[in-house]
Amino acid sequence: MSNMKLKMGMIGGGKNAFIGAVHRMAAGLDGHIEVCCGALSSDPLVAKESGELLGLQKERVYTSYQEMIKRESELPPHDRMNFVSIVTPNFAHFEPAMMALEYGFHVVLEKPMTFTLEQALLLQKKVDETGLMLCVTYTYSAYPMVKQARQLVRDGQLGTIRKIMVEYPQGWLSKMIESGLSLAFWRTDPEKSGKSGCMGDIGTHAAHLAEYISGLKITKMCADLQTFVAGRKLEDDGNILLGFENGATGVLSASQVAAGEENALKIRIYGENGGLEWNQQDANTLLFKQLDAPTQIFRAGQQYLSSSAKHNIRLPAGHPEGYIEAFANIYRNFAVSLLATMEGITPAEEDTDFPTVADGVRGMKFLETVITSGKSEQKWTDFLI
């Protein structure tokens, strides 16, 4: 494969925007991608200032995504952006993603993929029609020890899966802080975030992780959603009983009012022969608990790991790899797959291991079903298919 760098345009993610900076760091980590243009804010002044801070050419700092997509499409093929990364709040995902696909650009998109399930299905249809690539950044699936956990399940080390327990407690929204913090404001505003608050922000990560590692699809759920902070418009806490396609049961708990917690995402999966445990705050460690043998401790960076885990490891054993590196694994795999496709080469299977439009649709189906179940008097609500 050639040493060509992919050119990335960014929508959203201007100065002082948390997730935009994360995307740029991750995209640049492996040298496959460079930011060439941006419509970095809906405020024209902020958009221009942000472009200057990133050192972008003035003529490629745009004040709207419409202008950026249209003008980039008019540039010679070797000069224009190859794909667009969209890091706006939820309500501003669908329109720029759809326009980018219509103009022939590949897309990387923040989760949840869209504002509604209907929009997600339209994007999926457009991806199918165009043959373009769309990647959704479900970051936690890209940690090396999550890859190892998935491989252990695939290899049958746990036997038939019976129980999946996943939790994601945060504490940062334990008080009404919306008025003073933009990150909190839009996430708790149904006009910008959508029908769901906590579940849309972090519960969808937990659900994706459960399905990714286990290889099983959720088929039904019983959701209890709560809004603990007075005056908040969306739920800030929830607990869900889950049913999976093989008959396994599960529990998903997500909260943004678990005072004192940071990002304590944790998953446990139990089969007839043993169980797995992974904690995002100790991401280099995976526990394999066997029925009739001592617990095994898998550590990142070791040669005994699966090829899928080693493919996503960057550092020698003992050097912590974390959130930025996991994000970078998604961008790297997406970029290598795209470069291979552009050259008419079939990408390696491990390079195609990143969340796609199908994962994005699944995430939106999850949220729609959570909301329906939370309002229902029935014990179980079928997962929307």
Side-chain angles (χ1 to χ4, degrees):
M1 191 160 54
S2 72
N3 295 321
M4 169 188 170
K5 276 195 176 187
L6 292 172
K7 298 179 177 64
M8 181 177 88
M10 178 165 276
I11 297 173
K15 65 177 188 178
N16 301 323
F18 157 67
I19 203 65
V22 169
H23 276 259
R24 289 190 294 271
M25 284 187 281
L29 203 57
D30 291 285
H32 296 304
I33 299 168
E34 60 184 2
V35 181
C36 69
C37 63
L40 301 166
S41 174
S42 56
D43 182 323
L45 181 59
V46 174
K48 291 177 181 177
E49 291 176 349
S50 300
E52 289 177 6
L53 288 172
L54 293 179
L56 298 179
Q57 298 173 5
K58 288 185 178 180
E59 64 271 19
R60 300 184 78 175
V61 177
Y62 304 105
T63 55
S64 73
Y65 74 82
Q66 295 95 333
E67 180 191 20
M68 184 180 89
I69 293 171
K70 187 173 186 304
R71 285 180 54 185
E72 286 292 314
S73 71
E74 295 168 351
L75 294 174
H78 63 276
D79 289 333
R80 70 176 68 135
M81 67 180 181
N82 298 110
F83 74 96
V84 62
S85 177
I86 301 172
V87 294
T88 53
N90 303 352
F91 77 99
H93 285 183
F94 173 72
E95 285 81 6
M98 181 61 79
M99 184 176 178
L101 292 169
E102 288 172 341
Y103 275 75
F105 295 112
H106 306 273
V107 175
V108 174
L109 189 53
E110 255 298 327
K111 53 94 314 256
M113 188 166 75
T114 50
F115 198 65
T116 66
L117 175 58
E118 291 74 21
Q119 290 178 343
L121 292 170
L122 287 172
L123 278 187
Q124 185 176 46
K125 181 180 178 183
K126 181 59 68 174
V127 168
D128 291 341
E129 289 173 353
T130 61
L132 295 167
M133 291 170 54
L134 189 150
C135 169
V136 182
T137 52
Y138 279 109
T139 317
Y140 303 105
S141 65
Y143 279 85
M145 302 316 289
V146 168
K147 306 291 187 188
Q148 179 67 26
R150 186 190 197 204
Q151 193 61 50
L152 289 172
V153 172
R154 284 182 163 185
D155 290 343
Q157 294 296 305
L158 275 65
T160 301
I161 302 300
R162 293 172 171 171
K163 186 82 172 182
I164 300 173
M165 304 169 70
V166 59
E167 61 185 66
Y168 198 157
Q170 295 178 337
W172 72 296
L173 292 180
S174 288
K175 302 289 185 180
M176 177 63 81
I177 61 171
E178 279 84 325
S179 61
L181 185 63
S182 62
L183 282 173
F185 175 75
W186 75 258
R187 281 174 169 80
T188 56
D189 181 357
E191 296 298 318
K192 291 181 169 57
S193 183
K195 298 178 183 178
S196 176
C198 174
M199 286 297 163
D201 194 23
I202 60 175
T204 185
H205 273 303
H208 182 264
L209 192 64
E211 292 193 338
Y212 180 79
I213 295 177
S214 72
L216 300 173
K217 301 297 186 187
I218 299 167
T219 58
K220 60 181 180 178
M221 63 179 64
C222 177
D224 174 50
L225 305 179
Q226 301 292 330
T227 305
F228 281 104
V229 175
R232 184 165 287 157
K233 297 177 181 179
L234 294 171
E235 95 282 350
D236 48 28
D237 180 88
N239 300 289
I240 311 172
L241 297 177
L242 301 172
F244 290 84
E245 59 188 345
N246 75 331
T249 63
V251 180
L252 188 157
S253 177
S255 179
Q256 293 180 308
V257 294
E261 294 290 356
E262 295 174 348
N263 278 279
L265 173 61
K266 180 179 180 180
I267 187 165
R268 289 168 286 173
I269 298 181
Y270 299 99
E272 58 186 320
N273 300 325
L276 296 172
E277 180 176 325
W278 180 77
N279 185 337
Q280 196 263 158
Q281 294 183 157
D282 183 17
N284 274 24
T285 300
L286 173 68
L287 301 182
F288 177 30
K289 304 176 180 181
Q290 302 176 80
L291 183 62
D292 297 313
T295 296
Q296 285 187 309
I297 301 174
F298 289 82
R299 290 282 293 166
Q302 300 290 349
Q303 288 304 307
Y304 55 68
L305 297 174
S306 66
S307 61
S308 59
K310 288 190 282 190
H311 180 71
N312 291 279
I313 290 172
R314 300 159 180 281
L315 301 172
H319 296 274
E321 296 196 45
Y323 186 68
I324 299 295
E325 290 86 354
F327 238 112
N329 287 339
I330 290 178
Y331 267 101
R332 188 268 317 279
N333 291 348
F334 169 82
V336 171
S337 292
L338 178 51
L339 284 166
T341 301
M342 290 167 63
E343 295 181 12
I345 302 170
T346 300
E349 182 179 355
E350 287 172 346
D351 291 324
T352 63
D353 183 12
F354 57 86
T356 67
V357 68
D359 296 281
V361 169
R362 189 101 189 132
M364 291 309 300
K365 289 180 179 178
F366 167 77
L367 294 178
E368 290 281 331
T369 311
V370 165
I371 298 303
T372 300
S373 178
K375 294 178 179 178
S376 174
E377 295 298 320
Q378 298 181 88
K379 181 176 180 180
W380 289 103
T381 300
D382 290 336
F383 195 105
L384 298 172
I385 301 300

